[in-house]
Every structure is written in structure tokens, then in C-alpha cells.
Amino acid sequence: MPQVYERVALIGLGLIASSMFWAMKRGGLAGEVTGFARSAETRETAREIGLCDRVCDTLGDAVADADLVVLCVPVGVMGAVAAEIEPFLKTGATVTDVGSVKADVIAQVGPHIPEGVHFIPGHPLAGTEHSGPRSGFAELFENRWTLLVPVAGTEPAATAKLRSLWESMGALVDEMDAEHHDLVLAVTSHAPHLIAYTMVGVADDLQRVTDEEVIQYSATGFRDFTRIAASDPTMWRDVFLSNKDATLEILGRFTEELFALQRAIRQGDGDHLHAYFTRTRAIRRGIIEAGQDIDAPDFGRGGERNK
Amino acid sequence: MPQVYERVALIGLGLIASSMFWAMKRGGLAGEVTGFARSAETRETAREIGLCDRVCDTLGDAVADADLVVLCVPVGVMGAVAAEIEPFLKTGATVTDVGSVKADVIAQVGPHIPEGVHFIPGHPLAGTEHSGPRSGFAELFENRWTLLVPVAGTEPAATAKLRSLWESMGALVDEMDAEHHDLVLAVTSHAPHLIAYTMVGVADDLQRVTDEEVIQYSATGFRDFTRIAASDPTMWRDVFLSNKDATLEILGRFTEELFALQRAIRQGDGDHLHAYFTRTRAIRRGIIEAGQDIDAPDFGRGGERNK
């Protein structure tokens, strides 16, 4: 595959940045990749495991001369980081990010993008329950969607170049506007995460059922919630605070529907329950057909999945 | 492995019964296994795929002379089936079941157990999103818990024999009383299932986000909910109706906690959110250590898991 950018700077060295690095190296997609992390310990780990061609001790060093700057920091600090790198961005460079929320990131970062620099927010819909510089792997983005959210007036050539980078890392790419992105993600990701965190918290709180019982008998449904609820706490705090309106809207609808089902249980309305449960099966079928999950009968059973 | 029962009757030929058959055959655990299903189509499928040594057209034929009768029908019809088999049960036989709720099953089935017949309710904590006679496989119970709920006065030797059958099929076995079982399952299984059904229903209802978007972008958390929400609608209707009190209690606590988290989001209380999300990570670690899930970084990625 041909090189897409000559110099790429990764700001923040967690799961996404480290996976981008390994995917870019595998494909020869970048000439040199610099990296910066706020924590000295993370920078040291990165140097130890060969994460980035050059790990820099300052934001300015990492960003200077970069053709592509990727902000991989929690959504809550995007604005502060953008303010710091502003003086170092070179004309013609592209700034993108990988945050799970887009409208808020645009509001934070947009004002710090100098004339002549492209700003193309992005969001790879890929992740695991793991975080940190050691958690990345080159295959993370394969067959997963990356959403680009170009702001008004962005040069099509700059967007095409960024799209090409993501596609070369194995991603499927789509474009949409920021408000729609934030609503779609509230439904498919943010609300489910909050719900999973809540259910795991309830189980942990319950005095009459021991933690040991919860853990031993988790294979009956609860296990899938704990997988979701094990994700990075800082990232998720920031997601909920910065996508507040859409998340609260979806949670409001969720609560309404849950109350309706609780009422059906209380009143013994089996027809209502059966009809509801039948309807939800079809969505699952669609997800398997779209290649976003597998149809194996013994998921989570303890074997190796493809790495 | 030695034969545990000479004749076993499987009543209802879905995922659990068909998995029990293949597991018993693999281990030589039963002399002859008879099977019965209410639907002629299911009986035909069973004959076609060699499910059961003998598929019977009446309940009486299947149960006559059986040393172990396993009720694998939805919880809602356990009592009716028990009434029908009552005249055919032989002295010294054991009746068990695989229902997800225990107090209600005991209330339904208990009155139909004749003098001299053992009744040992059970519940294998194993399942997939698939159902029907073709969905079974011999490995379903391996490293999964089966809970036995012997009623007062049950002969220890009869319980030991049933435990030995489950252990020989690969299961871990525990015993507890029915009320505790129903509370533990409400937390680890019943409430999570209702919540997953609800969230999938919300996504399906939302007019401003298309089904295609929900399906394409499901890998961000939603996918794990759809897996849970694809389970058999009849089984789950019956579970919620028959474990009403415990399920509603857990859902009540869940709603309380969810409201507290929603309030923290609305008020921008990041510390509350961060502390909550940090606490839930520990439970996940316990589940992996207990061997009830795996720690692979790329779950659900589209490859084959161990079959």
C-alpha cells in the first residue's frame, strides 16, 4: 500500500492511537509517526515497546512539521490540547480526532484551528474493554466503521486523503453531520454503556446475593454487560458529560419502554411480552448479516478467537 | 464414563434437551433416551437428525419405564405437562426439570409427583441465542454451572445420582433453595435480559436513526445487547411471568440507580460517574478469573471461536 501521509503525530497513546500506529506500520501508510502522552510513564512504556517512531516529551515537538495530527485524548481535554498545539500546526496540515462525541469536540477544537489547516473530526467505531499503550493491535479497525464528520467548507481532497488512511487500515468509512453522529452513537453505544454500568453496579450492591454468585453464574446474560461495563472510566465519564442531551433523550425513551414492560410483567400480560421479544430478534439477524458479529453457538466459552 | 441412568425421557426437544441428548450419548451416560415434543414437526426433525434413541408420539410412551424424566418445556406449561405424565411415572423414578425459575415450577409440578417418585428441580445455566431441536450440541454444559434445588425430604442418593449425570456432561453443580435461586437469577439473568430487550426495542422504534445505522454501528456496545435479546420469546415471557417478584425488585433497584446516574450526567457530576465506572471494572476481572469468559481483545470480530 502506498504511503498516505509523510508525517503523522499521535497525541495521547491509548488503545486507539497504539492500534493506529501498528496498523500504519503494517501498511507502510506513514513516513514517520511521532507520539506524545501527558504521562511520563506512558511515554516510557511507548519507548520500551517501540510504539511510535519517535516519542516526544512535548506537544510542540510531536506536532511540528506533522501533515496529520490525530487527537486521541479523552473528549474532556480536547479543547485544552488543541489550544496548546495551535502555535505549532503547519499550513496545509490536517487535524483530526477519534473522540466518541462530535458536536462537543468541534465546539472545543474548532476555535483553535488556524487558517490554512484542515479540521476533519473522526470517530473509529472500534474498541475493546482494554486501554493504555500496550492494548493496541493492528487489526482493531478491520471491518469496523469509522465515521468522518467534515465541518462546512472542508476541502474535499483533504477529506479524501484521511478517508484513504482509514480504509488502508481496514476500516469501512462513512460521513455524516455531527448532530446525527451524536444521536446514532447515543443509541448504539452511549446509552447501552450507561445501562450496562448500572446493572453491574446493582449486582455489586445487592446484599443478599454474593459477588461470588454473581461471578459464577454470569454466563446467563450478565456477562455481556460486564464486558461493556469494563471500559475506560475516564473516557466514558467524558462521553456522557459531552453528549449529555442525546444520551438523556435516549435514556428517557428507554425508561419509558422499560416501565411499559415492567407493567406487563406485573399485570401478567404475556402477549405484550411475547410480541415485544419477537420483534427484537430481527435486529440481531441483521447484525450477523452485516458482518458485525458472528453466529457461533457457544460464544464466550473460553477458547481463542481469531487474533 | 459409566452409565448413570438406564432410561431417560426428554420432554420437550429444544436447545437444552437436544444438548443433553448429545452429551449423554457422547459419554455413554444413559442406556436408552426417549423423547417427546408437542409439535409433530419437531418430532419429525428429531427423527431426521437422530435426536433421541426413540421419539415417541405420546407423553405416556416417552415416560413409561423411565428412570429419569427431564421436563424441558417452557416454565408456563410445566404444571400441565406434569399432570399428564403423573399416571405413567414408575416408582423410584426421578423427575427433574431445566426451567429458569424454580419456586414457580415447584408449585406447579410438586402436586403431581406421586408417592415414591423423586422430584429434584434443576437449572443448567447454559444457553445460546438459538433454539429448537437442531440447536443442541454436546459441549453446551461444559464448565457451566447447573443448579439443583432439592425439595425438603428428597433422598440424598437420588440427588447424588442426578448430580453425577450433570457432572458427567461437563457441568459444575451447586445446590441452593428455590427462593435464593430465583433472586440470584433475577440479578444475573432475568433483569439483564429484560433490559437488553428494552434497549433493542428503543433502537428499533427511533424514527431518526435508521435500522441500517443501528445494525452497521452496533459494534460500539449495542451488539452485546442484541445477542441477549435474540433468545427464545416464549421461554422469556414465561420466565418473567413466573419470577415476577424477584425480577420486579431488581428492576426497581436498577431504575433507582439509573436515575442517579442520569442526574449526575444532567448536573455534570463527573466525579460520581468516574467513581461508579471504576467500581464496576473489578467484577469483570472476577468473571475472567472464574473462567466464565475470556480476555481476548477482539471479541465478536467475525472469526470462528472454538466449536
Side-chain angles (χ1 to χ4, degrees), chain B residues 7 11 38 42 46 81 106 128 131-133 136 169 180 190 194 210 218 221 238 248 275 289 305:
Chain B
R7 277 204 52 201
I11 309 303
R38 189 72 66 187
T42 301
V81 170
I106 291 171
T128 73
S131 46
M169 291 193 291
H180 190 66
H190 306 169
L194 196 76
T210 66
S218 69
D238 288 0
L248 290 178
E289 279 161 13
R305 315 193 194 174

Side-chain angles (χ1 to χ4, degrees), chain B residues 102 106-107 110 118-121 148-155 159 176 178:
Chain B
K102 294 275 66 82
I106 291 171
H118 310 288
F119 177 39
I120 308 168
L148 297 182
V149 181
V151 296
T154 302
E155 264 182 40
T159 305
M176 57 178 66

Side-chain angles (χ1 to χ4, degrees), chain A residues 128 208 249 257 297-298 306, chain B residues 128 204-205 208 249 297-298 306:
Chain A
T128 74
R208 285 177 296 146
E249 184 196 328
E257 297 240 7
D298 52 345
N306 67 318
Chain B
T128 73
D204 190 38
D205 260 355
R208 286 178 295 145
E249 182 195 331
D298 53 345
N306 66 319

Side-chain angles (χ1 to χ4, degrees), chain A residues 125-129 137 139-144 224 227 284 287-296 298-301 303-307, chain B residues 129 215-216 218-224 226-227 284 293-306:
Chain A
L125 308 187
T128 74
E129 73 205 59
F137 53 103
E139 298 78 16
L140 179 64
F141 309 111
E142 278 172 20
N143 197 33
R144 292 285 175 256
D224 287 326
R227 179 150 49 210
R284 175 73 187 156
I287 286 169
I288 290 164
E289 279 163 12
Q292 295 296 301
D293 205 355
I294 59 174
D295 196 21
D298 52 345
F299 43 80
R301 186 151 281 281
E304 285 292 284
R305 314 191 194 178
N306 67 318
K307 293 235 185 166
Chain B
E129 72 203 59
I215 286 167
Q216 280 182 353
S218 69
T220 49
F222 186 73
R223 185 186 56 204
D224 287 326
T226 66
R227 179 152 50 211
R284 175 71 188 158
D293 205 354
I294 59 174
D295 197 22
D298 53 345
F299 43 80
R301 186 149 283 280
E304 286 291 286
R305 315 193 194 174
N306 66 319

